[in-house]
Amino acid sequence: PPRSTLFPYTTLFRSNVQLDAAVLLFTAATAVFSGLLFGIAPAIQATRADLITNLKETKSGQQTAFARAFGKALIVGQIVFSLVLMVAAGLFIRTLRNLENVDIGYARNGLLIADLDFKTAGYKDNRVDLLVRNLLESVQRVPGVETISASENGLFSGTDSEGNIEVEGFMPRSIDDRLNHYDRVGPNYFHTIGARIIAGRGIGPQDDENAAKVAVINEKMAQFYFPHENPIGRHIFDSDDPSGKDRIAVTIVGVVRDVKQSYLRKPAPRRYYPAMLQHRATDPIDSLRLEIRTQASSKALMTSVRRAIKNVDPKLPIDLQTADALIGDAVSQEKLVAQLSSVRSEEHTSELQSHHDL
């Protein structure tokens, strides 16, 4: 990956949410196994049976001991298998509900996320700042839009970044102590997504290329580096220059509540938020997203927001979704497994009822 001057050893992660082959393979194997278990043996027995003898035995109410034992074993096996499936389905559904209701640290309702492919539209790094400003102004004028901001990675976008940094007054014990996630964000970012600033302030419009470099850190980062101190006013340093002569100090101006922006299952990692409008040409922005807080239904405003973005540049590719939809995609695998487990459980329950009726 390209080396960052301000935040060196930067890595950009990209993920693609899709059906899990392991889940599909397990489901297929379960279906085949259950079919073989409860279908082949009776079929083989039927092919070997003497029809005349069986009819006489059926008429007289007599059965072989093997046939009776085998029938009972099939029913018991189906009961056990159905119970296992029902328990598994219940656990998956409970896990899914827990994930959907997990505290993510911000307000997902009334929040739109626009993923903008500015590189495809031909924008170079020196034009991204102007593009961001024009987009913010255009979308802010849409009736029903409360506030708008921008970020490099954003919420459940499939991308994330890490930086190897030094923190004022902290002596690292390992390389992991210097490694933190980060996301460059625009003015009013935390207010827009609904994340609470618990100390200091957020990133504002005054934090531009002419101002001193600033950043906001999350709770986990503050507790790790400043467990008994106030982090406001302390500095994050570029660790790329061993001599320290050309290092750039980034002042911590705020602490924000931990938010989940990549994974629902995992706890929020240490993360810092530099001001987007202060990035340099040597440390270009790789992706761009808009966060839009709406007063009315976010879905109802999607057409108007898309039109406002196209008014800035008709050639700009846009992927516009609600935050709820993005978070729903994050639990798509759990939804699939829960649905498949429920279907198989219902099928075996129906089979048991059929055996009971017979």
Side-chain angles (χ1 to χ4, degrees), residues 17 35 42 66 97 102 116-117 127 210 286 333:
V17 178
F66 173 79
R97 288 177 178 173
V102 70
L116 309 176
D117 189 355
R127 298 177 57 204
N210 299 317
D286 291 312
Q333 179 173 312

Side-chain angles (χ1 to χ4, degrees), residues 69-321:
F70 187 77
K72 291 180 179 179
L74 281 179
I75 295 176
V76 171
Q78 284 190 308
I79 292 174
V80 172
F81 197 62
S82 296
L83 287 175
V84 171
L85 283 176
M86 285 189 288
V87 171
L91 292 175
F92 278 123
I93 291 173
R94 187 177 69 175
T95 299
L96 177 61
R97 288 177 178 173
N98 290 340
L99 287 175
E100 289 180 334
N101 296 325
V102 70
D103 183 8
I104 55 177
Y106 52 90
R108 68 178 74 179
N109 296 325
L111 184 61
L112 286 174
I113 310 293
D115 190 351
L116 309 176
D117 189 355
F118 64 91
K119 292 183 178 180
T120 298
Y123 284 87
K124 302 299 181 182
D125 187 68
N126 59 352
R127 298 177 57 204
V128 173
D129 286 354
L130 181 60
L131 173 64
V132 170
R133 289 184 172 91
N134 290 339
L135 287 171
L136 295 182
E137 292 176 1
S138 179
V139 177
Q140 185 65 71
R141 290 194 294 266
V142 174
V145 170
E146 180 179 328
T147 183
I148 178 174
S149 188
S151 63
E152 182 176 12
N153 294 318
L155 310 172
F156 290 92
S157 62
T159 66
D160 207 347
S161 304
E162 286 185 336
N164 186 4
I165 62 173
E166 293 181 6
V167 178
E168 180 182 8
F170 181 84
M171 182 62 66
R173 297 178 297 273
S174 67
I175 187 63
D176 290 338
D177 287 351
R178 296 182 177 182
L179 196 61
N180 295 269
H181 292 249
Y182 76 88
D183 192 5
R184 289 180 279 202
V185 300
N188 303 318
Y189 175 77
F190 303 107
H191 174 67
T192 299
I193 68 172
R196 185 166 61 91
I197 296 292
I198 58 179
R201 65 174 180 86
I203 301 298
Q206 73 276 17
D207 301 315
D208 58 17
E209 65 275 12
N210 299 317
K213 301 294 187 290
V214 298
V216 171
I217 64 176
N218 70 351
E219 286 180 280
K220 191 165 187 177
M221 188 170 174
Q223 292 167 359
F224 184 79
Y225 292 111
F226 310 99
H228 307 294
E229 303 174 65
N230 183 3
I232 306 302
R234 306 296 287 272
H235 298 92
I236 298 172
F237 291 101
D238 177 345
S239 61
D240 190 33
D241 181 14
S243 67
K245 294 180 180 179
D246 297 324
R247 293 194 310 173
I248 296 177
V250 180
T251 304
I252 298 172
V253 295
V255 179
V256 67
R257 185 185 178 196
D258 292 339
V259 302
K260 292 180 181 291
Q261 67 178 61
S262 297
Y263 305 99
L264 288 176
R265 287 182 175 274
K266 300 179 181 179
R270 300 194 303 266
R271 189 180 299 277
Y272 56 98
Y273 302 86
M276 172 179 282
L277 298 181
Q278 294 182 336
H279 80 280
R280 299 181 297 171
T282 54
D283 190 19
I285 293 176
D286 291 312
S287 55
L288 178 62
R289 283 159 192 90
L290 299 181
E291 289 77 23
I292 303 126
R293 172 67 59 187
T294 64
Q295 297 171 345
S297 170
S298 54
K299 285 187 177 181
L301 290 179
M302 291 182 75
T303 301
S304 299
V305 168
R306 187 182 299 274
R307 186 183 303 115
I309 295 174
K310 288 294 185 180
N311 286 341
V312 175
D313 188 342
K315 304 186 299 297
L316 191 63
I318 307 168
D319 181 14
L320 185 62
Q321 299 187 60

